[in-house]
Amino acid sequence: MIRIDIISLLPELLESPLGHSIVKRAADKGIAQINIHDLRDYGKGSYRQVDDYPFGGDAGMVLMIEPVYNLISDLKKRVSYDEIIYMSPDGELLNQNLANRLSCLKNLIILCGHYKGIDHRIREHLITMEISIGDYVLSGGEIPAAVLCDAVIRLIPGAVSDETSALSDSFQDNLLAPPVYTRPAKFMEWEVPEVLLSGNPKLIKEWQDEMALERTERLRPRLLKQKSDS
Ligand code: SAH
């Protein structure tokens, strides 16, 4: 069971992506527990202020240290966390390897930034890990956090109904997945590869391995290099 506490200024943005499909089923089965915390609840004063102008006079607003510190401190009173993650465009790039590593942990905090970012002292003193979902900038950390949770949770045994299914996905074993087909076997003139209809598991497996390798060579050759390095 993994527990993920997400700190956000826009909890509604997380509810839908984390409230369906595999992630929801994992939560229902008790495999994953996701708690969403509204940073605004820890805001200062009657306006529940959570952001302020940046020192040095740049444009945009910066998340303040105090509400984040107080919320994380409260969480830490009850739980000992393996990682306190900040979603950030300059963090470690998320890939399947990192998702695999995180899926073995028990307790995570994920902090979503907004606006211009967060007071850098939070990153220096409270955050233990920074993760990016790609080299582009989004408006907030909620979508990146939802992406991270989905990638991690589907790897936990029992989350995906057929347990072997997550293991045969692309990037596991540094190979892309082979193509898949379903009925009808013939649609207009477009036919399913004959071998898949042969009923011969050995031939089917050979074909799938061959296709996985061919697609990886063509679409992600660097994965094969990583495979030979490991
Ligand atoms: N000024 C910052 C970007 C802030 S974007 C910079 O130039 O680096 C606002 C928030 O969105 C960030 O605090 C972060 O939490 C989130 N975010 C934006 N792009 C992201 C990405 N590619 N990966 C992860 N988080 C991202």
Side-chain angles (χ1 to χ4, degrees):
M1 147 83 179
I2 191 167
R3 172 186 166 133
I4 305 178
D5 289 278
I6 308 181
I7 302 176
S8 160
L9 263 184
L10 286 170
E12 316 84 70
L13 260 182
L14 289 160
E15 276 154 22
S16 174
L18 298 177
H20 298 276
S21 187
I22 290 171
V23 176
K24 162 130 192 327
R25 260 180 280 140
D28 291 346
K29 286 196 221 163
I31 293 168
Q33 184 193 342
I34 300 181
N35 308 307
I36 302 173
H37 305 275
D38 190 345
L39 186 61
R40 186 74 59 187
D41 292 342
Y42 283 73
K44 277 181 74 178
S46 51
Y47 291 107
R48 300 200 292 164
Q49 185 185 1
V50 290
D51 57 342
D52 211 333
Y53 295 100
F55 282 125
D58 259 342
M61 300 298 273
V62 175
L63 282 192
M64 294 156 69
I65 193 163
E66 264 181 89
V68 175
Y69 179 87
N70 289 337
L71 176 40
I72 291 181
S73 300
D74 272 359
L75 290 173
K76 279 185 177 169
K77 278 181 202 152
R78 280 170 274 141
V79 178
S80 155
Y81 288 94
D82 301 304
E83 299 285 359
I84 302 181
I85 300 167
Y86 171 51
M87 301 311 302
S88 181
D90 54 12
E92 178 177 351
L93 278 175
L94 178 60
N95 58 22
Q96 197 65 18
N97 228 343
L98 179 52
N100 279 324
R101 255 157 58 209
L102 293 174
S103 74
C104 300
L105 301 179
K106 292 276 159 256
N107 297 298
L108 303 175
I109 290 179
I110 302 178
L111 173 63
C112 306
H114 242 277
Y115 316 117
K116 203 68 203 148
I118 65 177
D119 189 311
H120 202 73
R121 288 167 292 182
I122 300 172
R123 300 174 66 171
E124 286 169 338
H125 300 290
L126 298 175
I127 296 298
T128 62
M129 187 174 201
E130 301 187 325
I131 299 178
S132 164
I133 64 160
D135 283 348
Y136 42 81
V137 176
L138 298 164
S139 317
E142 284 76 14
I143 293 172
V147 168
L148 179 63
C149 287
D150 190 316
V152 168
I153 287 172
R154 65 195 308 289
L155 291 170
I156 299 173
V160 175
S161 37
D162 175 0
E163 253 203 46
T164 55
S165 155
L167 296 178
S168 63
D169 280 337
S170 289
F171 304 111
Q172 296 292 1
D173 202 23
N174 284 328
L175 283 175
L176 298 182
V180 289
Y181 300 86
T182 187
R183 281 177 288 186
K186 185 170 178 182
F187 174 73
M188 299 193 303
E189 292 309 305
W190 305 333
E191 292 180 26
V192 165
E194 228 179 289
V195 59
L196 293 179
L197 310 174
S198 69
N200 182 332
K202 186 168 167 281
L203 282 182
I204 294 174
K205 174 84 174 58
E206 274 170 18
W207 179 84
Q208 286 172 331
D209 290 348
E210 207 178 291
M211 293 308 281
L213 196 59
E214 186 276 320
R215 289 175 62 74
T216 313
E217 273 165 357
R218 186 159 46 87
L219 302 170
R220 292 287 188 285
R222 67 177 164 80
L223 289 179
L224 293 175
K225 190 174 174 312
Q226 284 165 16
K227 195 174 163 65
S228 62
D229 289 347
S230 63

